[in-house]
Each structure stands twice: as structure tokens, then as C-alpha cells.
Amino acid sequence: MTHYLLALAGNQNCGKTTLFNCLTGSNQHVGNFPGVTVEKKEGPLLKNHELSIVDLPGIYSLSPYTSEEVVTRDFILRENPDAVINIVDATNIERNLYLTLQLMELNIPMVIALNMMDEVRASGNSIDVKKLSDHLGIPIVPISASKKEGISELVHTVKKIATGPKKPPMKLDFCRGPVHRAIHAIAHIIEDHAQEAGYPVRFAATKLVEGDRPMQEALHIDPGDQHIIDHIVEDMERDLGTDREAALADMRYSYIEEICADCVIKHQETREQVRSEKMDKLLTHKYFGIPIFLGIMLLIFWLTFSVIGAPLQELLENGIGFLTGELAHLLAASGVSPWLQSLLIDGVCAGVGSVLSFLPLIVLLFFFLSLLEDSGYMARVAFVMDKLLRKIGLSGRSFVPMLIGFGCSVPAIMATRTLSSDRDRRMTILLTPFMSCSAKLPIYGMITAAFFPQNGGVVMFAMYVLGILVAILSGLLLKNTAFKGKPIPFVMELPAYRFPSARSVLLHMWEKAKDFLRKAFTIIFIASLVIWFLQSLDWKLNLVEDSANSILASIGSAIAPIFTPLGFGDWRASTALITGLTAKESVVSTLAILTGASSDAQLGGILQTMFTPLSAFSFLAFTILYMPCVAAFAASRRELGSWKAAAGTALYQTGAAYVVSLLIFQVGRLFL
Amino acid sequence: MTLDQVKPGQGGIIETIGGEGALRRRLLDMGLTPKTKVTVRKVAPMGDPIELYLRGYVLTLRAEDAAKITIREEAEA
């Protein structure tokens, strides 16, 4: 069976995801492009396994500056798809065609899916599709991805192009004057180099005119030729009175203006654009904009964590509890050996079960997040909050993931996928766990009840502030070290508000739920097993009655001295920190078990013998800052795309926790 | 004058695009090329970034980057 590969390329916010969902349904495989954390979605075209379609990242150009753009051009050049579907937003056609002109140079059979044609027509504007197609020399199919109009015609055209005989190269006569001369002169010089390196000549020549460094390196041009090329470009720049990059951008846009003048009749803005402008009068209002945003987030948190999420979570917990109970009965009745019973019940069921009960929260949170994203509001959040995050080297786009971090780091880290820059994504994943998540509340409760009963609120507030402070300091530190290099400029489109499609929202939720379940049954499952082994066995692999004799306890004792300078060298504290990795609230239950406390009051009393108020404060600081739980670690591994990067992130977080607690304890000691 | 000095509701024709590297390329790619008509729509609540309208769509960028774009002011708003 011949297999055909299709690529879907287009700008951000042009309905690309909606179209991809239309074309593949729920039959999607989500992964990353090799070597980068740029998401790659793949699926068969309408259940036809002969044709698979890859969703390329949403980009505006094929410049060499962002990993999304580089991935796109590498994919098209290296994987050599049988056809490219270029989705173009008809309501914003000038800027969308800019990418089209660059894709055309890659010399792959192409079809344009002219999306949102319904909106263009409804507002009394029109586009002469036939004429536009003739100008570009590419078949164009008008569609409406959200209303599923024109899809079958698009599929028909794509199939014909992908499976038909390869056409001669498209006409590429959109360059004029000095740029035209430069491109053709350079094309002549590098023809052999380009063919050898496997690049379309025209694309390579254009890139050399632009001064594209990766292309210069890939072609291995000898110094003599390079000298001539430089000369040609200098001549062009002198003739045009502008530099090379501006010359090419100007050439493309001039050509687009020319053909749009011929094919596009635009009397007025579309209804959606007019409506958006009105909505923004309120949503990005000078005084109301920020309160409205905070109000929306508060509403989402309230709905997720209490109104809808809490009952669902309780229901799931009860369900898991019931099943665990039944399984325990069954195991006991069938006379399975006690250690296996303990392994399955106390290890697997308890470990995976406690994490699994977070599923409703995560699904709900992503329901709301995709509403925000798909409606176009997320771009406004970035617009409104950008100034706050700029100083630490991030943009407004990172604000929402960080805010979600106060609820739970897992969805927060998963939410970084919508960030358009690889660098911002990595940095946000690193900083988000410093936002104190809700699982840490029981720890605050335990420590404040025992040591700061009068000032519980103040201590808790101090912890939240400490987390934010460490994130800010880390941002300042990292933007000049590990994340050096220019951030991607904050030049962002504010798309028209649109009603999110139920299908996209549901698919998004399903994808995130699947992702989380996979984690729960792999890494979290394994982590639960390991912790159970360490907690239930001694070094001779006998089951222990008292967990103080377990392997875990002896590891805790062994590493306890490391924490002596921080004020909590007690082995029970360090053991609790290890179990806290399965879920942060385990710190409390472990301390209760290891101290043999039977009530909160008793636990408080014992804690007072283990800690001084200062060392308790230092312990608390360490607990909120050190690496997040396994579920969050698994999420960051997935989003970062490598174990190494995830481990580095965890190491940094734990290191930061150590330094901060050390400072708190040692400096505090001087005064107390 | 530079684009960051334009008051909301006013606009002009782009004359030159400054800056360098990724930023400059991005500005050009998004359609901020010489001779393009651009209007400043509003300023974000914290005074930055700014919201532009050009080529039939809405774009936002930071004032410090807008300062690298020079424009010729137009009389009409």
C-alpha cells in the first residue's frame, strides 16, 4: 500500500486546529518534533490510513529565528510530504498569504484551504477565488472549518494532488526589480550546492538574499562564491535603499497587495471583527480589564476546585476506595500472601488512586482553559498582563499557567503547551511549581497549628509570597544564564473573538485526560511501587511492622545530616520529604506515621520536640520550594521532551529550596 | 515620529523599521513594512504594550519595540 504524507501549515488563529480535528477526528497521535518541545500532531485523513496528515506549528513566516518556524521548514524539506495544505484565514488574507508565498518556494504540491469564507460573505465582502488561484497557480478551496463546509471538496482536491502525477514546479514570479535580479543571480551560483544539500534552488536563493544563517551553513558555499553573493546583495540593497530582510518582506507584501487589489473586495470589517472591537472596549479596558480577568480566573478556580470539581473528586475517591476495599476482600479471601496484598492495596491502589482522584480537576480546568484559548481571550490576557512578567524575561502569555500553579502544578505545566515560544515554555515549566499548590495546604495546616497558632494566616501568606519571590529571583537569574539569548519578541496577533467549537474543546479535554491517565499508570504507578517497597521492607526484604525499621527510614536517616544546616536534621523529617514526592500532602501522613501520633494534637506535641519555630519555618519553606510531586515531574518531563531537562529542572528547584531554607535558618539563628 | 508616541485613535504611514535580528524580522513578517498604514487602537491597562490595527487585523507589541518604528502621521484619525 502506498502511503501518502500530508502537511497542514498556516498562521496561528486561522482555524488550523479546527480543520485538523475535522480532517482526522479523535484519531490523533500527539507527540513532539524530534529534539524540540514543539508539538506534533498526526492522524489519518478521514480514517483513510493511506493518507496521514501532520499538523505543523502555527507560524507566520519561515524565518530562522524560532524553533516552530525551523521545525516547519525542516519537516517540509526533509520529510518531503506529498502535499501541503495551507490554511488561510480569508478575513485576514494579506498577512496569511505572506506565509503562503514562502511555502510556495519549498516546491511541494500545495492546496490552499481558504477558511472563514462564510464570515467574509456574511459581511458583504468577497474574494474572487478563481482569480486568486490563477494568480498564485495553486488550487484554492473555500471552506468553513467551524461549520464543516467545503471539507469534502478540500479532501478531494488534496487527494488528487497528493496521489496524482507530480506537477512541474509552480510559477514563482512574484519577485520584482532588484530583488528579482538578486534571487536569480544567486540561484544561478548555488544551483549545484542546493541540489546537493537537497534544497529547492529558489528557496535556498531567497534565504541567502535574506541572510539566513542556517541556509548559509547548510550549503557549504566556498568563500569566492560567498563574496559574489554578498556583492549581489549589496547591489540590491543599494538599488532599493533598504536592507535585505526588509527588501524581501516588502517584495512579498507588495505582491500580495497587488493581487488582493485584483481579487478581494472588502467594504468593511467583518461582523466578528466589529464585535471583537466592542468586546475589547470592556475586556481590555484601562480600569476594568485587570479586575475582569482576575474575576474570570477566580470563577474558574471556584468552579473547578469547589463547586463542580470537589464533588466529582469525592465521588471518584469513594469509587476508588470501594474498589480497593473489594479487591482487599478478594485478596484476603483467596489467601494471597500478605506482602502481595499490601503491595497491591497500600502500594498500587493507594498511590495511583490518590493521584487519579485529581482527574476531574484536571479535565475541568482544561475545559475552561480551552474556552479561554479558543475564544481568543487568552491573547488578551497576555496583552493585559505582559508588563508584569516582562521583567523576569517572560511575556504575558505565561501568566495563566503560573496562576493555575496555585491550584495544581500538573495542569499548569500541561497548559504551557499553548505558549508560542520554546524558551518561554521551558522557563515557565521551571518557575510554575514555585507557586504554592493546593496540596501543600495540609502541610501549612500542620505546621502552623503546632508552631504559629496565633499567626497562621501570616505564615501562610509569607509562604505564598516566598514562592512568588523565589520565582521572580529565579527568573531574573535564569534570563541572564540558562535562558540567555533573546526571548522571542512579543509581537502578537489579537485574533477576533470567536465562539469555541464544542468538538475542539472536548477533544482538548480528552487529550489532556488521556495524557494524565497515561502518566498515572506509568510513572506514578512505578513511583508508588518503589515507595511501597522502600516503606514496607527492611534491607533483608522482610515486611516491617514499624515503618521506622524500613529501608525508607534508613535512607531518611542517611540523608538527614544534609538537612542539619537547615535546622531539620531529624530522620523523620527527611523521610517525610521523600514520601512527599508522591504527593505533597503525604508529608503530613508520613510524619504522623513515623512519630506514632494518633491525633493532630499529639502530632503537634511531637513536632514541637522535633522542630523549633525557626526550623519549622525553614522546613515549611523547603517543602513548598523543592521539586514538585511525581505527577508534576512526569508532566514536566513530557512537556520538556526529555528526562534530562526534567531532572535539571527538579534539581534546580530542590537546590533553590535548599539555599532558601539554609538562609532562613542560618540568618534567623542570628536574631532569635 | 516613532510609533510609541502615537496617541490611541491616531495613526500614520510607516517609514522605517528599526531593531535587529529576530525582533526586526518578526515586525516585518507581521506586515509592518514601509508604506503600510497603521493605527494605534489602545494602550494596555498597565500602560504597555500597545494595540495596533494594520492590514485588516489587530496586532500588539511593546512600546519599546514600537519605538523602533518611525511613522509619518496622517491627519485623519
Side-chain angles (χ1 to χ4, degrees):
Chain A
M1 188 173 79
T2 333
H3 190 86
Y4 297 99
L5 181 64
L6 308 171
L8 179 62
N11 286 182
Q12 287 170 25
N13 312 311
C14 65
K16 199 161 65 65
T17 308
T18 314
L19 177 62
F20 184 73
N21 291 341
C22 256
L23 294 175
T24 61
S26 56
N27 219 336
Q28 302 179 359
H29 173 77
V30 186
N32 276 339
F33 285 96
V36 284
T37 59
V38 177
E39 185 176 76
K40 177 186 182 185
K41 284 195 205 164
E42 202 171 354
L45 180 70
L46 295 178
K47 300 197 177 97
N48 181 341
H49 284 270
E50 256 177 67
L51 293 113
S52 62
I53 175 162
V54 173
D55 188 20
L56 297 173
I59 52 168
Y60 297 103
S61 170
L62 292 177
S63 86
Y65 294 113
T66 74
S67 42
E68 285 76 9
E69 291 173 342
V70 174
V71 157
T72 301
R73 67 196 227 186
D74 283 354
F75 182 85
I76 296 178
L77 290 169
R78 297 284 158 248
E79 306 289 323
N80 221 345
D82 296 284
V84 172
I85 305 170
N86 174 214
I87 176 164
V88 165
D89 175 358
T91 65
N92 185 359
I93 194 162
E94 276 190 34
R95 204 209 53 226
N96 273 257
L97 285 178
Y98 183 78
L99 178 68
T100 308
L101 293 189
Q102 297 185 60
L103 290 171
M104 280 165 69
E105 291 181 330
L106 294 172
N107 213 9
I108 300 283
M110 215 161 108
V111 181
I112 291 178
L114 194 58
N115 196 19
M116 308 196 198
M117 272 304 279
D118 50 329
E119 289 184 16
V120 170
R121 290 195 201 102
S123 51
N125 301 330
S126 71
I127 295 173
D128 188 334
V129 175
K130 171 83 179 55
K131 225 185 216 176
L132 186 62
S133 170
D134 287 345
H135 273 295
L136 295 169
I138 301 173
I140 300 180
V141 183
I143 65 163
S144 164
S146 59
K147 291 183 183 154
K148 294 192 189 165
E149 287 167 12
I151 302 299
S152 57
E153 205 194 334
L154 175 67
V155 169
H156 178 76
T157 313
V158 171
K159 273 187 186 163
K160 205 170 72 189
I161 287 197
T163 61
K166 294 281 172 274
K167 290 256 180 64
M170 287 172 261
K171 55 175 183 181
L172 296 165
D173 57 356
F174 47 80
C175 47
R176 299 282 143 85
V179 183
H180 174 86
R181 282 200 296 277
I183 290 177
H184 286 271
I186 291 176
H188 198 68
I189 298 171
I190 59 152
E191 198 163 354
D192 296 342
H193 295 277
Q195 268 159 11
E196 222 167 275
Y199 290 106
V201 177
R202 161 73 186 225
F203 176 70
T206 310
K207 289 292 137 188
L208 289 183
V209 176
E210 279 176 354
D212 185 296
R213 216 162 274 287
M215 183 58 78
Q216 286 169 351
E217 283 155 18
L219 291 182
H220 306 294
I221 292 167
D222 55 73
D225 284 350
Q226 186 58 51
H227 189 73
I228 302 174
I229 292 170
D230 291 343
H231 201 74
I232 294 171
V233 173
E234 275 163 32
D235 276 352
M236 177 196 78
E237 288 179 325
R238 201 180 41 243
D239 287 350
L240 287 168
T242 182
D243 67 296
R244 58 212 301 182
E245 287 197 308
L248 279 181
D250 193 42
M251 166 200 89
R252 295 192 187 108
Y253 272 115
S254 302
Y255 178 71
I256 292 168
E257 282 166 21
E258 207 176 291
I259 55 175
C260 284
D262 194 26
C263 313
V264 180
I265 298 169
K266 187 166 180 177
H267 305 290
Q268 55 193 352
E269 291 196 284
T270 65
R271 282 193 303 217
E272 286 73 13
Q273 285 164 336
V274 175
R275 187 180 61 194
S276 290
E277 202 182 343
K278 279 187 194 145
M279 285 171 74
D280 269 342
K281 286 225 161 76
L282 190 65
L283 293 176
T284 60
H285 185 273
K286 195 170 174 194
Y287 302 114
F288 303 137
I290 296 175
I292 288 175
F293 163 63
L294 294 177
I296 290 174
M297 288 310 292
L298 212 62
L299 185 70
I300 291 177
F301 269 76
W302 182 62
L303 289 175
T304 308
F305 289 96
S306 52
V307 181
I308 316 175
L312 281 179
Q313 193 175 13
E314 209 181 298
L315 205 69
L316 197 65
E317 264 170 10
N318 291 340
I320 293 169
F322 175 75
L323 286 178
T324 308
E326 289 299 298
L327 183 67
H329 280 306
L330 198 75
L331 291 174
S334 55
V336 174
S337 80
W339 72 264
L340 187 61
Q341 285 185 34
S342 170
L343 172 69
L344 289 175
I345 303 300
D346 305 331
V348 177
C349 291
V352 175
S354 73
V355 175
L356 219 51
S357 64
F358 278 96
L359 184 67
L361 298 187
I362 287 175
V363 171
L364 270 173
L365 216 43
F366 275 100
F367 170 74
F368 293 116
L369 283 180
S370 25
L371 288 188
L372 295 187
E373 186 70 43
D374 295 356
S375 63
Y377 183 67
M378 208 67 112
R380 271 69 181 187
V381 174
F383 173 69
V384 169
M385 304 311 282
D386 179 65
K387 207 176 172 187
L388 267 188
L389 287 180
R390 188 183 309 180
K391 292 201 173 62
I392 61 167
L394 288 172
S395 85
R397 283 236 147 213
S398 298
F399 201 81
V400 168
M402 290 205 168
L403 211 55
I404 293 170
F406 287 113
C408 177
S409 300
V410 178
I413 291 169
M414 288 161 84
T416 58
R417 196 165 305 174
T418 55
L419 298 183
S420 51
S421 130
D422 193 41
R423 174 190 168 280
D424 285 13
R425 200 154 40 221
R426 290 170 177 279
M427 204 158 151
T428 311
I429 291 170
L430 179 71
L431 300 183
T432 297
F434 288 134
M435 308 297 131
S436 175
C437 78
S438 59
K440 288 163 190 163
L441 285 172
I443 313 176
Y444 295 155
M446 172 184 73
I447 296 285
T448 53
F451 295 94
F452 314 101
Q454 309 302 320
N455 306 310
V458 180
V459 169
M460 228 172 102
F461 183 71
M463 283 299 137
Y464 277 92
V465 173
L466 180 70
I468 296 169
L469 219 60
V470 171
I472 293 173
L473 289 174
S474 301
L476 291 174
L477 174 76
L478 293 168
K479 82 165 179 183
N480 294 319
T481 52
F483 293 92
K484 217 158 123 183
K486 290 230 159 180
I488 290 181
F490 184 75
V491 180
M492 185 188 66
E493 179 184 6
L494 293 176
Y497 288 106
R498 289 199 170 84
F499 210 78
S501 94
R503 188 191 171 89
S504 284
V505 171
L506 289 177
L507 262 173
H508 193 72
M509 278 165 68
W510 166 235
E511 189 188 291
K512 295 294 175 185
K514 219 165 53 177
D515 205 35
F516 184 72
L517 286 176
R518 194 181 303 126
K519 279 199 284 271
F521 286 104
T522 51
I523 178 167
I524 297 166
F525 174 78
I526 294 168
S528 306
L529 284 187
V530 170
I531 292 284
W532 178 85
F533 268 107
L534 298 178
Q535 212 168 9
S536 313
L537 302 180
D538 62 17
W539 288 104
K540 291 181 182 138
L541 303 184
N542 297 310
L543 275 181
V544 291
E545 282 293 315
D546 181 355
S547 45
N549 303 322
S550 67
I551 301 178
L552 188 67
S554 63
I555 295 176
S557 308
I559 62 166
I562 300 174
F563 298 108
T564 309
L566 314 191
F568 46 93
D570 191 290
W571 68 274
R572 288 166 295 191
S574 45
T575 308
L577 289 176
I578 300 176
T579 57
L581 294 179
T582 53
K584 286 292 167 91
E585 63 266 37
S586 306
V587 169
V588 176
S589 56
T590 305
L591 278 176
I593 294 169
L594 294 181
T595 54
S598 55
S599 71
D600 285 352
Q602 210 184 349
L603 177 61
I606 300 169
L607 286 178
Q608 279 165 3
T609 64
M610 282 168 64
F611 296 103
T612 64
L614 178 62
S615 69
F617 192 80
S618 159
F619 178 73
L620 202 51
F622 190 88
T623 328
I624 70 152
L625 297 175
Y626 82 122
M627 70 171 283
C629 66
V630 202
F633 178 76
S636 64
R637 193 218 77 86
R638 178 146 165 76
E639 299 306 327
L640 290 168
S642 87
W643 286 107
K644 211 175 123 198
T649 301
L651 212 63
Y652 175 83
Q653 286 152 345
T654 311
Y658 192 88
V659 171
V660 171
S661 292
L662 184 70
L663 281 175
I664 289 175
F665 187 67
Q666 295 300 339
V667 175
R669 233 167 29 156
L670 301 176
F671 297 97
L672 295 175
Chain B
M1 75 192 300
T2 55
L3 190 55
D4 61 315
Q5 297 162 339
V6 179
K7 290 199 177 60
Q10 298 189 327
I13 307 287
I14 295 176
E15 286 189 320
T16 59
I17 306 286
E20 56 186 20
L23 169 70
R24 179 157 197 271
R25 178 62 190 268
R26 179 89 167 166
L27 296 173
L28 292 166
D29 285 343
M30 296 306 272
L32 291 158
T33 54
K35 298 189 290 292
T36 306
K37 192 182 167 204
V38 55
T39 316
V40 174
R41 271 210 178 157
K42 66 161 70 168
V43 174
M46 284 183 258
D48 196 10
I50 60 173
E51 182 182 320
L52 307 176
Y53 182 77
L54 74 152
R55 295 188 187 274
Y57 83 102
V58 186
L59 183 73
T60 171
L61 50 82
R62 292 172 178 167
E64 53 172 317
D65 299 333
K68 292 169 181 146
I69 300 170
T70 61
I71 73 157
R72 194 173 66 240
E73 226 176 333
E74 269 192 335
E76 52 127 20

